Amino acid sequence: MSYLDYNATAPIRPEALAAVLEGMQSVGNASSMHQPGRQAAHRVDVARGQLADLLGCSPGEIIFTSGATEANNLALRAAFTAGNPLVTSPVEHPAVLETARAVTAESPEDLVLLPVGADGLVDLGALDQVFPARRGGVVSLMAANNETGVLTDLRVVAKAAREAGALVHTDATQIIGRLPVDVAELDVDLLSLSAHKFGGPQGVGALYVRRGSPLPHRPLLVGGGQERGWRAGTLNVAGIIGMGAAADAARHGLGEEAERIAALRDRLENLVTGALPGCRINGRRDQRLPGVTSITFPGVPADAVLAAMPDVAASEGSACASGAPTPSHVLLAMGLSREDADSTIRFSLGYATTNAEIEHAAHAVKRAATQVRAALAEAHGPR
């Protein structure tokens, strides 16, 4: 098996697995005052510090959540106020797009979608048309696209937003643990992430909230007042310490790892496009994550190719939209036809990807695509 679906979820890192097992074998509610509770709270504090080191922030600026979907919901529902603009793009993850539509349901004129180019880049110049005509509000743009890997220059976003008095949120789910991130340098107010994208366990994530940001206190979950009142509920100690261990492991050697993974991605692209003329790579190739490639196989349905190579784990698009009756909204926003969007496969690599997996996957893709194309030709040929 060649596992090339890291954007859906990464294999859990050995360090994270060991931490999760330790946490599950220990008893103690992190909110309890007895010794087991204090020990659990200490483990949570250590993990908070490990994640803060990865982000370049203070541990007190981190709120633990069940994942990036909850973090995105919490961020936008707290930052948006009716009458102010909520600026985002049509290529965002559904966790942002659907939340944005929900919070602006009673004032749809407040929702502003920036245009996207054929290269997958959001037109940040269009912010000049939003500001200063309108002031305040929140701008929410993802740091790296989950389907194409295309990066957004958040510093440009932050500059425009600051001048207009707007808050800045970014869904950084795909970039954390893959490229260096410093929240102070990015100048964002809010940042969402999920542990399982960088080798932590599933079901745990975090929201970074910059200290001093003018953010109304609007928790999604109320109850015991955990996480400084931002997120009620007993802390997932095992998941949190697993995320901390994954963050610590990802932080070390991050630059070298990114170079290695980028070389493997380039190798995969060269092998596939060389073997299957006519294939197209989607998105800005010089401004994307090191381990992501979106390849269109014109006239060859992606689901058929994937079915014909069960020994390769890849995706038609976002795993969160698996089984959806419509093609990728990201690719459609970039101008691809429905047919081409339906003929596109996303391959995503990560920390454990090997050259042998790439060689194996490239051969499997060539075999599967050729097989599907021949079957289609036979089915539509003369009778």
Side-chain angles (χ1 to χ4, degrees), residues 6 10 13 50-51 54-56 143-144 151 170-183 186 191-200 206 208 243 246-247 250-251 254 289:
Y6 279 69
R13 293 176 184 264
Q50 290 171 318
L51 186 57
L54 182 63
L55 301 180
L151 303 173
T170 185
D171 178 354
T173 306
Q174 297 295 350
I175 199 172
I176 299 299
R178 297 174 182 178
L179 287 175
V181 169
D182 186 317
V183 291
L186 295 179
L191 179 148
S192 306
L193 62 89
S194 272
H196 71 106
K197 303 297 186 178
F198 55 90
Y208 156 79
M243 176 165 60
R251 184 169 62 90
L254 189 57
L289 288 172

Side-chain angles (χ1 to χ4, degrees), residues 212-357:
S213 291
L215 196 68
H217 192 262
R218 298 172 182 161
L220 289 175
L221 303 175
V222 296
Q226 291 89 345
E227 294 299 276
R228 306 186 306 283
W230 274 105
R231 204 275 186 179
T234 300
L235 292 178
N236 174 6
V237 175
I240 288 170
I241 66 175
M243 176 165 60
D248 189 57
R251 184 169 62 90
H252 294 94
L254 189 57
E256 295 82 357
E257 188 70 11
E259 290 183 12
R260 184 187 74 83
I261 293 171
L264 289 176
R265 177 206 59 203
D266 293 346
R267 174 67 175 159
L268 176 65
E269 289 179 343
N270 290 336
L271 288 172
V272 171
T273 57
L276 297 167
C279 293
R280 298 194 305 271
I281 297 171
N282 301 303
R284 182 72 172 263
R285 298 180 68 174
D286 62 347
Q287 193 172 327
R288 58 178 171 160
L289 288 172
V292 182
T293 181
S294 169
I295 304 178
T296 297
F297 302 84
V300 185
D303 56 354
V305 176
L306 291 170
M309 53 178 194
D311 51 348
V312 176
S315 174
E316 287 186 68
S318 171
C320 298
S322 178
T326 57
S328 161
H329 70 282
V330 172
L331 298 178
L332 294 180
M334 291 168 57
L336 271 71
S337 66
R338 182 184 180 115
E339 182 181 9
D340 280 349
D342 279 333
S343 301
T344 298
I345 298 176
R346 178 192 69 187
F347 301 91
S348 47
L349 294 57
Y351 75 92
T353 305
T354 65
N355 188 65
E357 285 183 290

Side-chain angles (χ1 to χ4, degrees), residues 94-147:
V96 167
L97 274 177
E98 293 307 312
T99 303
R101 292 182 179 122
V103 300
T104 60
E106 296 183 1
S107 55
E109 68 279 1
D110 290 336
L111 180 58
V112 180
L113 297 180
L114 301 178
V116 177
D119 58 2
L121 283 175
V122 176
D123 181 4
L124 301 183
L127 285 169
D128 293 336
Q129 300 173 26
V130 179
F131 308 123
R134 301 184 68 180
R135 296 189 59 81
V138 57
V139 181
S140 178
L141 294 171
M142 64 198 331
N145 188 268
N146 55 300
E147 293 193 30

Side-chain angles (χ1 to χ4, degrees), residues 84 131 134-138 158-168 189 214:
N84 294 314
F131 308 123
R134 301 184 68 180
R135 296 189 59 81
V138 57
K159 183 176 184 298
R162 297 292 169 226
E163 292 174 353
L167 294 167
V168 180
D189 297 287

